[in-house]
Amino acid sequence: MEMNQYLSMFIDESKDHLQAMNENVLSLESSPEDISIVQNIFRSAHTLKGMSATMGFEDLASLTHEMENVLDLVRNHKLKMDSFIFDYVFKSLDALEAMVEDIIQGGSGKADVTEIVAGLKSIVSGDYKKGGSSASAPVAASGGAQQGAELDEFQLSILEQTIEAGVPVFRITVSVREDCVLKAARAYMVFNILEQNGEVIKSSPSVEDIEQERFDQSFSVFYISQIGQEDLHKRLSDVSEIEKVELILLDKQKLEQLNKPPAPAPAQEASVSAAETKDEGPKAEARKPAQQSGGPVANRTIRVDIERLDTLMNLFSEPLIDRVRLEQLASEIRRNELTETVEHMARVSGDLQNIVLKLRMVPIDTVFNRFPRMIRDVAKTLNKKVDLIITGAETELDRTVIDEIGDPLVHLLRNAVDHGLEPTADRLNTGKPETGTISLRAYHSGNHVFIEIEDDGRGINREGVLKKAIQNGLVTAEQATRMPDEEVYMLLFASGFSTAEKISDISGRGVGLDVVKTKIESLGGQVQVESKWGRGSKFSVQLPLTLSIISAMLVRLRNEKFAIPLSSIVETMAIKKEQIRTVHGNRLVEYRSSVIPLIPLAQLLEVPGTSDSALEDTQIVVIRKGEKLAAAVVDEFIGQQEVVLKSLGKYLTNLFAVSGATILGDGQVALIIDTNSLIK
């Protein structure tokens, strides 16, 4: 148990030091002469080395030791940072993060880092400038095989979510004949077929290498497509001079097996002798924050396992239910002493509820802080200049939402760099600055958090999107002419939709966007798109502040009680029968100088009992989804209440217009209505 405790501390501390190093190396890239930044990186590396050695993670310790050697030369003015050194420092950090992740997953933290160590050693010796290091020579790709895991975290996440969504994912290996004269041309024909029928997520070797004929006889791709396996195999095999096509339909298990790095060979160079690490001694340094903010903070915070907070939240929800019941009884019994006691209990439990909710709140910075490094790498790969401006990183969000939102934001940001921002030459031709700007903003509004990703790129081509949508059968040509811009842009989120003209390893504006939308909606959120052609695009993600306790309006539909989240209610009102119109069989109601659809909620949800609609006045709840409004008919308003959101479990899934349930004060169960699914 004690060892597990130390391991947990080691993991937390290591992640903090790696994050600090990533941020500091990015800062150093902007100010390569600033030795104080190098000192910060060196201290983090030194601490991480000592911790790793103490815990017995020798590969981690030895790689950090090699990093230390390079940083030591830089801080002592014996070496100047250049692009080669920056690349190898970043490679080292990536390898260290992968090792720590392996330890988190229960592994030993071992990895084959021979190539990185060779590069770091060549920097220390100065050989890298003479071209004497194997690290500086390009590694020839053979048959699409790569050392280590082929997919990065983002690509793996997209493929896993696509498999979960039931969309076929393939690993395809294509071999050209040995006597093939124009290998690149044959590869282009293969990629052309792939692009027309789906999306390439990862190519080994890269698309650029294949275009330059930098591959032997074969290459492989991870590929998403709705087309049948046999049909796809036949189309690829029909390309002349293609010798063999191997096509594997992947499930999660096969994907993991394919993406496992090969078992590491013993790396003599990368090891550090016991004598070398022993003299460091066990490190007990306090964790140094990446940015000093003045006063000491280490003694004001403690780390708590998220499962304990979940347990606390579940326990607290029970007294909340009892409180509502007690308030109900007190109003019936009408004893002053009881009423006063219940009122005091209500105030105290309200304060407790706020504290419990705040315990679960985490600054969104914990997600945002990995994006500058990612944007730097993507921009470098695409040979683009990008400024990432982050605002509102201190905005807080429920931990459960934070854990899930990372991957969708990664995809939207990559999408902005790859497809949103034009190539540098195109920007200069249109009079824009060569450096593109991507703004990542977060802010609170009511019970929601909004995250916006805005770029000053080319924007979304309405005609291009509609052309592809008509081709895919998503809309008819007649519908396309009547669609407002917002609806056209939302077609980007249709399953398998892509307008990408060129295959890219970074992203495809389409594959993944449907997964992004599904993930955000599963969190009770929604996503919207705005764009101006030639000026840029903005993706707005709206998320609930918390997923556990919500304010709701209790209503009666026939014989049942339901809860409607207050965050989606514009207002409640009674309307006269003459305000209701029928147009083409659809009932509409006049509302503030416009007409909005009328939703017969009880009828839609098939609630048993007789309706009160025969009354002169009809009670309605005006609900909102983005800019769209609708009026839901209810039989009675019971009142506003804080309700504890409970899951319906694994047996009741995919229920229409129901997001969960709550237990009321009288012990009854009320279903919570998902208003987003009521408005199309």
Side-chain angles (χ1 to χ4, degrees):
M1 182 66 196
E2 196 176 357
M3 189 60 194
N4 284 344
Q5 182 188 345
Y6 285 128
L7 184 60
S8 176
M9 285 170 63
F10 168 78
I11 288 167
D12 288 337
E13 295 282 316
S14 299
K15 286 170 83 173
D16 287 342
H17 282 299
L18 286 168
Q19 183 58 45
M21 282 195 275
N22 260 308
E23 288 171 3
N24 279 316
V25 178
L26 277 172
S27 301
L28 187 63
E29 207 171 25
S30 305
S31 316
E33 304 295 324
D34 192 339
I35 296 302
S36 66
I37 301 175
V38 182
Q39 297 281 19
N40 288 338
I41 302 166
F42 183 86
R43 278 197 297 271
S44 288
H46 186 71
T47 308
L48 181 58
K49 182 183 81 171
M51 286 164 41
S52 304
T54 305
M55 293 295 293
F57 298 122
E58 293 297 335
D59 282 13
L60 260 167
S62 47
L63 180 54
T64 328
H65 178 72
E66 297 296 343
M67 268 184 74
E68 250 188 329
N69 290 343
V70 172
L71 295 166
D72 193 41
L73 291 175
V74 177
R75 69 178 183 152
N76 290 315
H77 303 280
K78 293 177 183 174
L79 184 66
K80 281 196 170 183
M81 297 296 293
D82 60 28
S83 61
F84 184 90
I85 300 174
F86 273 117
D87 282 350
Y88 266 85
V89 171
F90 276 127
K91 276 185 182 181
S92 303
L93 290 174
D94 287 345
L96 291 169
E97 282 177 356
M99 290 170 170
V100 171
E101 187 57 37
D102 182 50
I103 293 165
I104 292 169
Q105 302 302 329
S108 61
K110 289 188 178 297
D112 182 2
V113 289
T114 318
E115 190 257 347
I116 298 173
V117 167
L120 294 173
K121 282 183 181 293
S122 75
I123 292 167
V124 173
S125 66
D127 287 348
Y128 80 102
K129 287 185 176 173
K130 306 166 197 168
S133 165
S134 61
S136 59
V139 181
S142 173
Q146 286 184 329
Q147 283 297 316
E150 285 196 49
L151 298 161
D152 63 28
E153 181 187 347
F154 161 73
Q155 291 163 339
L156 185 61
S157 167
I158 287 294
L159 291 176
E160 283 176 343
Q161 290 177 51
T162 306
I163 290 168
E164 280 175 8
V167 178
V169 172
F170 300 100
R171 170 66 187 269
I172 305 170
T173 304
V174 178
S175 304
V176 295
R177 279 178 19 202
E178 279 189 15
D179 59 349
C180 178
V181 181
L182 295 169
K183 291 193 295 184
R186 298 305 172 203
Y188 173 80
M189 292 168 75
V190 168
F191 275 100
N192 200 32
I193 293 167
L194 293 174
E195 186 186 6
Q196 287 172 8
N197 296 287
E199 192 78 20
V200 174
I201 295 299
K202 170 75 176 179
S203 164
S204 304
S206 69
V207 176
E208 289 76 18
D209 281 350
I210 293 170
E211 285 174 351
Q212 300 297 321
E213 286 203 355
R214 290 200 293 264
F215 68 104
D216 287 346
Q217 298 308 121
S218 64
F219 55 90
S220 59
V221 295
F222 284 91
Y223 183 65
I224 297 173
S225 176
Q226 296 278 14
I227 195 168
Q229 190 168 344
E230 287 181 15
D231 188 13
L232 184 58
H233 189 279
K234 183 178 183 305
R235 291 188 196 192
L236 296 175
S237 302
D238 284 349
V239 176
S240 57
E241 295 191 295
I242 294 296
E243 186 171 82
K244 189 170 64 172
V245 176
E246 289 176 27
L247 214 138
I248 306 169
L249 180 63
L250 300 179
D251 54 24
K252 270 195 164 183
Q253 192 177 354
K254 284 180 185 171
L255 182 62
E256 282 174 19
Q257 285 172 349
L258 276 173
N259 199 47
K260 270 184 185 171
Q268 308 268 310
E269 268 183 19
S271 66
V272 176
S273 68
E276 265 185 313
T277 56
K278 199 177 285 182
D279 66 342
E280 299 293 341
K283 291 294 178 290
E285 291 181 40
R287 176 167 55 88
K288 295 177 179 64
Q291 293 173 326
Q292 296 290 351
S293 55
V297 292
N299 61 344
R300 293 175 56 84
T301 60
I302 57 167
R303 285 195 166 100
V304 180
D305 191 315
I306 192 70
E307 287 184 10
R308 291 186 183 181
L309 287 181
D310 287 338
T311 306
L312 177 64
M313 179 60 75
N314 285 331
L315 284 171
F316 179 72
S317 66
E318 299 305 320
L320 196 65
I321 293 162
D322 292 341
R323 184 190 90 187
V324 178
R325 177 70 175 141
L326 280 169
E327 285 172 340
Q328 200 173 328
L329 289 170
S331 66
E332 291 170 9
I333 296 170
R334 296 186 183 178
R335 284 275 303 273
N336 279 346
E337 298 93 329
L338 179 60
T339 305
E340 285 171 12
T341 307
V342 169
E343 283 175 356
H344 180 259
M345 182 186 163
R347 282 196 302 274
V348 172
S349 64
D351 292 342
L352 264 174
Q353 176 185 319
N354 286 334
I355 288 172
V356 170
L357 281 176
K358 280 178 181 171
L359 281 176
R360 295 179 56 86
M361 302 303 268
V362 181
I364 206 162
D365 184 50
T366 55
V367 177
F368 282 10
N369 61 19
R370 62 179 163 141
F371 293 150
R373 166 70 199 284
M374 182 200 81
I375 294 291
R376 177 243 181 222
D377 291 348
V378 173
K380 193 168 182 186
T381 304
L382 295 169
N383 200 21
K384 292 181 180 179
K385 293 183 179 177
V386 183
D387 267 349
L388 176 65
I389 300 167
I390 295 178
T391 49
E394 71 287 347
T395 307
E396 291 188 327
L397 200 53
D398 190 289
R399 173 63 190 261
T400 48
V401 182
I402 286 277
D403 288 344
E404 300 289 333
I405 197 60
D407 286 342
L409 293 182
V410 164
H411 190 83
L412 291 175
L413 280 166
R414 283 177 177 251
N415 203 50
V417 181
D418 192 10
H419 295 290
L421 297 179
E422 314 94 325
T424 306
D426 292 1
R427 290 183 67 84
L428 292 171
N429 288 340
T430 54
K432 290 183 179 180
E434 64 174 352
T435 301
T437 302
I438 295 176
S439 298
L440 176 61
R441 292 184 285 267
Y443 58 90
H444 283 135
S445 177
N447 281 337
H448 287 87
V449 167
F450 287 82
I451 301 171
E452 295 177 350
I453 293 167
E454 187 170 9
D455 65 68
D456 66 346
R458 61 166 68 90
I460 300 168
N461 184 343
R462 175 191 163 98
E463 298 310 314
V465 173
L466 283 174
K467 184 181 173 186
K468 192 74 174 179
I470 293 166
Q471 189 181 319
N472 288 5
L474 293 171
V475 293
T476 62
E478 187 189 350
Q479 287 171 324
T481 56
R482 298 199 304 267
M483 288 176 79
D485 287 350
E486 290 74 19
E487 279 186 35
V488 173
Y489 303 150
M490 289 308 288
L491 290 170
L492 292 171
F493 294 95
S495 180
F497 186 91
S498 177
T499 58
E501 290 172 14
K502 188 184 174 192
I503 299 156
S504 163
D505 286 345
I506 305 298
S507 67
R509 176 162 264 170
V511 166
L513 280 187
D514 58 327
V515 180
V516 167
K517 185 167 181 274
T518 304
K519 172 62 76 177
I520 290 167
E521 288 180 348
S522 74
L523 294 170
Q526 50 187 292
V527 61
Q528 288 181 303
V529 189
E530 296 171 36
S531 182
K532 288 186 178 171
W533 180 242
R535 290 174 58 187
S537 310
K538 181 166 77 173
F539 286 74
S540 301
V541 177
Q542 178 186 335
L543 294 163
L545 207 55
T546 177
L547 300 178
S548 40
I549 297 175
I550 58 168
S551 297
M553 170 66 74
L554 286 181
V555 299
R556 183 174 62 80
L557 299 178
R558 297 179 182 167
N559 301 335
E560 302 283 345
K561 290 177 182 174
F562 289 83
I564 302 174
L566 278 186
S567 57
S568 57
I569 296 177
V570 179
E571 67 177 301
T572 58
M573 59 195 296
I575 55 166
K576 305 259 181 222
K577 280 195 170 178
E578 51 267 28
Q579 288 176 266
I580 300 172
R581 304 179 188 175
T582 304
V583 178
H584 299 302
N586 298 316
R587 296 174 78 203
L588 305 169
V589 62
E590 294 174 16
Y591 175 72
R592 300 196 185 283
S593 71
S594 67
V595 288
I596 58 175
L598 195 68
I599 302 169
L601 214 49
Q603 187 182 327
L604 197 67
L605 298 173
E606 298 179 8
V607 182
T610 54
S611 175
D612 298 348
S613 57
L615 297 172
E616 185 62 30
D617 288 353
T618 300
Q619 313 283 341
I620 62 166
V621 180
V622 180
I623 53 176
R624 177 193 298 277
K625 178 184 179 182
E627 298 300 312
K628 296 179 182 176
L629 299 175
V633 178
V634 301
D635 292 330
E636 182 190 355
F637 299 118
I638 298 169
Q640 183 182 330
Q641 196 171 302
E642 298 273 285
V643 298
V644 180
L645 189 60
K646 298 276 189 184
S647 155
L648 294 173
K650 58 185 177 184
Y651 296 110
L652 293 170
T653 55
N654 300 324
L655 290 183
F656 170 69
V658 173
S659 58
T662 188
I663 302 170
L664 303 176
D666 56 6
Q668 286 186 357
V669 172
L671 294 177
I672 296 168
I673 292 173
D674 174 15
T675 53
N676 283 340
S677 59
L678 297 175
I679 303 176
K680 297 297 181 195

